[in-house]
Amino acid sequence: MEDLHCIRLLSIVFTLELLSISNTMSRSSANSQCPITITPERLVMPYGNQTSVLCKNSNEDASRNVIALNWRVDHQIVTGPRLFLDKVLVWDPRAECIGTFSGIGKCSKPFDVTFYKTADSVSIHSINHTGPMLADEEYQLQCDIVNVAPVQNLTVRWYQGDDLLKDKGSLRVTGCPHQNKVECDNQVIRSPVNVSSTIKVRLGRNPDGAQFRCEAQLALEEQPPPPTNSNVLSLSVHYEPIINSTKLPLRLQVFKGHPTELVCEADGRPAPNIHWVSAKGVRVSGGNLTVTEAGVWTCNATNVVGYISRAVEVTVLVKETADQVLIHPLGHTGPMLADKEYKLQCDIVNVAPVQNLTVRWYQGDDLLKDQGSLRVTGCPHQNKVECDIKGIRSPVNVSSTITVRLGRNQDGAQFRCEAQLALEQQPPPPMMFHRLNLSVHYRPIINKKPESKVPVFKGYPVDLVCEADGRPVADIHWYSAKGVHVSGGNLTATEAGVWTCNATNVVGYSLEEVEVVMKEDYLPLIAGFVAATVLIISAVFIFFYSIYYKNTKMRRYSLKNPKPSVLNGNVAHNSWDSQLPMTKLP
């Protein structure tokens, strides 16, 4: 009996379930075939706006005449086909239009409406911390969005400066209206709530700190409202000091009689207090320290976050000269070409302090106006190729470079570079120097040559001489227009023609052209004519002179009875009264 009773109860339960499923399927079928049209079909709007929605029959079939159209909002019936949404006081109305039709009875169609409200305020603050933050420590920042709905559509963005952060934070709803809950499910609640978004930040050593802000945006499908931004949160960062090791080496060499300044700089926030302490206990405030003697000095930098120290070992050197001074051409070997620019470099090896180095350039005994540009190489710092001349104190290699242009008459020119440390001591340090003799090559220039036209007489050869100045010594040749080639600078020409003198060396060449012109020889005719003329004149002279001599000098004189003369004493007379002086013998 009991078994039969149980079977009857199970049959009744099963029948009820079948009826329930049948009713549900029947209602679903009725809803899918319900001739209701809602205008608009869907609505997204600010809560409280004056907007209405209309429910009407979508089927004009007379057999389905509308008997009644009403609304059900949050389990309450609102009569009439038009629903005024500003009268709806709930945030999740679950509204549906219910129609009664002839032939099909009652059916309903749901209406999708979303009410939203932008946040009253958005603010940002740090969690469980006030005051400056410490570098490399982790902190939490919270963005509070007050009175916003629906929270399901809320997006929170975080910015550092103008950069969007990848970490969007964790979203948490607070201040829920349910009495038995402190937190709410943000996927369910529709009414305005307070939301907080939290992120973790770790700030570095930035003296300007960092700025953060958050942005709350309702991501709605239709015309989303503008985002609401928070205030800017400026965070100050404090960090322990770090000493600038680039400006403060672990070891420093100074030269006797030349004080050197140690500079200790430290980066820290707040700004650190810096002082020096020697191994002997001497304390000097500030970051700059002038040292003149050997010892160990320690720089200490301290602020409220921490401290750091760095020791410097100071040694004193006595070095008055460079290891070597050497001159050489830059990018060139061998002789130089005249009238072309070259660079000469003077290398001063291992000299210090370079601030006191003086370099002088001479050509022969003359001091050059161009004293060159100084450049320091071989610096001890690994990350530098060149060093600041005013800053470095340790021995370095220095080069001084000048530009020279030598002429044709400056072969064998001598250049000298002098390097001396200008130290305040007596006697001054010795001077070091190096000499360089330069060989100059230039193309030949013909400096001795015949006239452009030279006459030659038949039977009388003429010598043509061609000499040229060049370095290396030029090779001289004569070439005729007929292709005759004669080596050397001397040429004997016997006939007419055009000859070219070619002077050549490794630098270049020079040409001069001479035209030999044949002339007739009238000298024998002229000589014969002159000789004949002389003979004729001589014959005529002799003829007339013989006549004269015969008539005047060849006379007869009488030596008897000489007649005395007052002027000449005793004289002899001829028939023409010509007198011949005579001396009377005793």
Side-chain angles (χ1 to χ4, degrees):
M1 290 295 292
E2 292 180 358
D3 292 339
L4 182 60
H5 182 69
C6 290
I7 292 173
R8 287 178 179 178
L9 290 175
L10 289 173
S11 297
I12 293 171
V13 172
F14 182 70
T15 302
L16 292 174
E17 288 293 331
L18 288 176
L19 289 174
S20 176
I21 293 172
S22 177
N23 289 333
T24 302
M25 293 178 65
S26 177
R27 191 183 303 113
S28 175
S29 175
N31 287 338
S32 64
Q33 297 176 2
C34 189
I36 292 176
T37 299
I38 299 175
T39 307
E41 294 182 352
R42 187 176 185 278
L43 195 60
V44 177
M45 58 176 287
Y47 179 79
N49 271 21
Q50 294 182 358
T51 306
S52 65
V53 59
L54 179 64
C55 177
K56 64 182 180 178
N57 179 19
S58 62
N59 197 329
E60 301 298 333
D61 190 350
S63 63
R64 294 185 177 181
N65 291 332
V66 177
I67 297 175
L69 288 175
N70 298 305
W71 286 90
R72 182 163 52 208
V73 179
D74 195 26
H75 307 294
Q76 294 182 4
I77 299 299
V78 179
T79 59
R82 185 173 294 277
L83 176 65
F84 293 91
L85 295 174
D86 57 319
K87 304 297 183 180
V88 178
L89 302 179
V90 293
W91 284 85
D92 188 12
R94 304 178 187 273
E96 60 179 346
C97 178
I98 302 172
T100 304
F101 299 90
S102 300
I104 63 172
K106 285 186 178 183
C107 66
S108 65
K109 188 173 183 179
F111 173 61
D112 186 9
V113 59
T114 300
F115 293 132
Y116 71 85
K117 180 185 181 302
T118 58
D120 291 345
S121 65
V122 178
S123 60
I124 185 173
H125 61 90
S126 59
I127 299 178
N128 299 326
H129 181 80
T130 58
M133 296 184 174
L134 299 182
D136 301 323
E137 294 287 336
E138 191 173 78
Y139 296 89
Q140 286 188 328
L141 301 181
Q142 180 169 304
C143 179
D144 293 330
I145 303 100
V146 178
N147 210 23
V148 64
V151 71
Q152 297 93 327
N153 298 84
L154 181 65
T155 299
V156 179
R157 301 183 186 92
W158 285 88
Y159 293 86
Q160 182 175 354
D162 294 326
D163 299 328
L164 179 65
L165 298 180
K166 293 181 180 180
D167 183 6
K168 296 182 179 180
S170 58
L171 208 60
R172 186 171 61 91
V173 179
T174 61
C176 292
H178 307 295
Q179 297 178 359
N180 60 343
K181 289 187 178 181
V182 178
E183 297 184 0
C184 299
D185 183 2
N186 58 11
Q187 298 299 322
V188 176
I189 193 165
R190 293 282 186 169
S191 59
V193 290
N194 298 335
V195 182
S196 65
S197 173
T198 306
I199 63 170
K200 295 179 180 180
V201 296
R202 187 187 297 270
L203 302 179
R205 298 172 60 91
N206 186 351
D208 296 328
Q211 291 184 332
F212 290 87
R213 64 183 175 90
C214 62
E215 178 184 272
Q217 170 80 60
L218 284 172
L220 303 174
E221 294 181 2
E222 299 178 6
Q223 297 181 349
T228 305
N229 290 294
S230 72
N231 59 305
V232 176
L233 177 63
S234 297
L235 299 179
S236 178
V237 182
H238 282 187
Y239 44 89
E240 66 181 9
I242 292 181
I243 293 176
N244 187 346
S245 58
T246 302
K247 292 188 176 182
L248 190 63
L250 294 175
R251 294 176 180 82
L252 179 68
Q253 295 176 335
V254 299
F255 292 88
K256 186 177 180 180
H258 291 271
T260 302
E261 188 176 58
L262 290 175
V263 178
C264 180
E265 294 181 353
D267 174 38
R269 189 171 179 89
N273 179 31
I274 301 176
H275 65 273
W276 289 90
V277 178
S278 72
K280 300 177 181 179
V282 178
R283 179 188 174 96
V284 178
S285 299
N288 295 346
L289 174 68
T290 301
V291 293
T292 57
E293 57 185 24
V296 177
W297 286 86
T298 301
C299 173
N300 296 306
T302 307
N303 65 7
V304 294
V305 183
Y307 72 94
I308 190 172
S309 62
R310 185 178 177 88
V312 180
E313 182 182 0
V314 181
T315 57
V316 177
L317 298 179
V318 178
K319 182 176 177 62
E320 297 180 348
T321 62
D323 290 351
Q324 186 182 20
V325 177
L326 179 66
I327 305 178
H328 60 90
L330 274 181
H332 180 79
T333 57
M336 296 183 174
L337 299 183
D339 301 323
K340 186 176 179 181
E341 279 192 353
Y342 295 89
K343 289 187 180 297
L344 299 182
Q345 181 168 303
C346 179
D347 293 331
I348 302 99
V349 180
N350 205 28
V351 64
V354 70
Q355 299 93 329
N356 299 81
L357 181 64
T358 300
V359 178
R360 300 183 186 89
W361 283 89
Y362 292 86
Q363 182 175 352
D365 294 327
D366 298 327
L367 181 67
L368 297 180
K369 292 182 180 179
D370 181 9
Q371 288 300 306
S373 56
L374 273 180
R375 185 172 64 94
V376 179
T377 58
C379 293
H381 305 298
Q382 295 179 0
N383 60 344
K384 290 186 177 180
V385 177
E386 297 186 1
C387 295
D388 182 7
I389 292 180
K390 297 180 180 180
I392 193 164
R393 291 286 181 174
S394 57
V396 290
N397 298 334
V398 181
S399 65
S400 174
T401 306
I402 64 170
T403 301
V404 297
R405 184 193 295 268
L406 300 179
R408 297 171 61 90
N409 59 343
Q410 291 181 301
D411 181 41
Q414 186 182 85
F415 287 85
R416 185 173 82 253
C417 171
E418 294 181 353
Q420 188 174 25
L421 287 170
L423 303 177
E424 296 178 0
Q425 64 180 54
Q426 295 296 333
M431 176 186 61
M432 296 190 68
F433 65 91
H434 183 249
R435 293 187 178 94
L436 176 66
N437 293 322
L438 298 179
S439 177
V440 181
H441 282 187
Y442 46 89
R443 73 177 187 87
I445 293 181
I446 297 176
N447 54 11
K448 185 176 183 181
K449 60 183 180 179
E451 298 293 333
S452 58
K453 286 189 177 182
V454 176
V456 61
F457 298 96
K458 187 175 182 180
Y460 295 92
V462 63
D463 291 330
L464 303 179
V465 178
C466 180
E467 295 180 355
D469 174 37
R471 185 166 179 86
V473 176
D475 185 19
I476 301 177
H477 299 269
W478 286 94
Y479 297 91
S480 73
K482 298 178 181 180
V484 180
H485 171 245
V486 178
S487 298
N490 296 335
L491 171 69
T492 301
T494 59
E495 58 184 17
V498 177
W499 289 88
T500 300
C501 175
N502 186 349
T504 307
N505 64 8
V506 294
V507 182
Y509 65 91
S510 183
L511 301 175
E512 287 292 342
E513 193 175 88
V514 177
E515 182 182 3
V516 178
V517 182
M518 183 62 71
K519 298 284 187 178
E520 290 295 334
D521 190 5
Y522 297 102
L523 187 59
L525 294 177
I526 295 174
F529 177 76
V530 172
T533 302
V534 171
L535 289 175
I536 293 171
I537 294 174
S538 299
V540 171
F541 176 77
I542 292 172
F543 174 75
F544 284 105
Y545 185 78
S546 62
I547 294 175
Y548 170 77
Y549 186 80
K550 184 176 181 181
N551 292 331
T552 59
K553 298 296 182 180
M554 297 181 65
R555 306 284 177 88
R556 292 181 180 179
Y557 292 90
S558 175
L559 301 177
K560 294 181 179 182
N561 301 317
K563 296 179 180 180
S565 173
V566 177
L567 297 175
N568 299 323
N570 297 323
V571 296
H573 296 270
N574 60 12
S575 56
W576 286 280
D577 292 331
S578 297
Q579 298 179 358
L580 180 64
M582 300 181 64
T583 302
K584 185 177 180 181
L585 298 175

